[in-house]
Amino acid sequence: VQLQASGGGLVQTGGSLRLSCTASGRTFSSYAMGWFRQAPGKERESVASITWSGGSTSYSDSVKGRFTISRDNAKNTVYLQMNSLKPEDTAVYYCAADLIYPLRLTRDMDYWGKGTLVTVSS
């Protein structure tokens, strides 16, 4: 599985962005998916995860209520809708795939995508 994230950009505080992560390969629907982010000078952190079916989701406390993860297995794509963005959301966002849900940084992910930069101006 190869993952390609897109949709990052520059947005003002309070704005919205939707990130997409498109996977190649026919086994996409077998994997739980997750979004992670890494801000300058900080460690990578988990943002959100979703099961293979989309039936369960989980979020970090810092984004709960503002971000929504979803997936469309017919399109091999997972999304991260980000609303009410704050400057502290500025980071490179990465998507990942793993057979185990939720995705946690305490173990190796099966697949990582290249990141997409989100910058939130104050």
Side-chain angles (χ1 to χ4, degrees):
V1 175
Q2 292 185 327
L3 305 175
Q4 179 64 54
S6 62
L10 175 64
V11 63
Q12 292 185 334
T13 296
S16 298
L17 279 176
R18 188 176 81 157
L19 305 183
S20 299
C21 175
T22 301
S24 63
R26 293 177 291 179
T27 59
F28 171 77
S29 60
S30 300
Y31 288 88
M33 299 294 296
W35 287 97
F36 298 81
R37 67 185 182 186
Q38 187 164 17
K42 295 188 177 181
E43 294 186 351
R44 191 170 296 189
E45 64 175 352
S46 174
V47 175
S49 293
I50 188 167
T51 56
W52 67 271
S53 66
S56 292
T57 57
S58 61
Y59 300 91
S60 66
D61 288 342
S62 60
V63 307
K64 198 173 295 183
R66 300 187 298 121
F67 290 11
T68 302
I69 188 171
S70 62
R71 67 189 296 162
D72 185 339
N73 286 342
K75 296 182 178 180
N76 279 11
T77 301
V78 62
Y79 304 98
L80 186 68
Q81 178 66 45
M82 305 186 295
N83 298 329
S84 302
L85 282 161
K86 306 175 182 179
E88 51 263 44
D89 295 318
T90 294
V92 177
Y93 285 72
Y94 300 88
C95 59
D98 198 73
L99 291 174
I100 301 173
Y101 169 87
L103 281 69
R104 299 195 186 281
L105 288 170
T106 51
R107 64 177 187 272
D108 292 333
M109 298 296 110
D110 288 335
Y111 301 99
W112 283 100
K114 293 183 179 180
T116 185
L117 176 63
V118 172
T119 303
V120 184
S121 63
S122 57

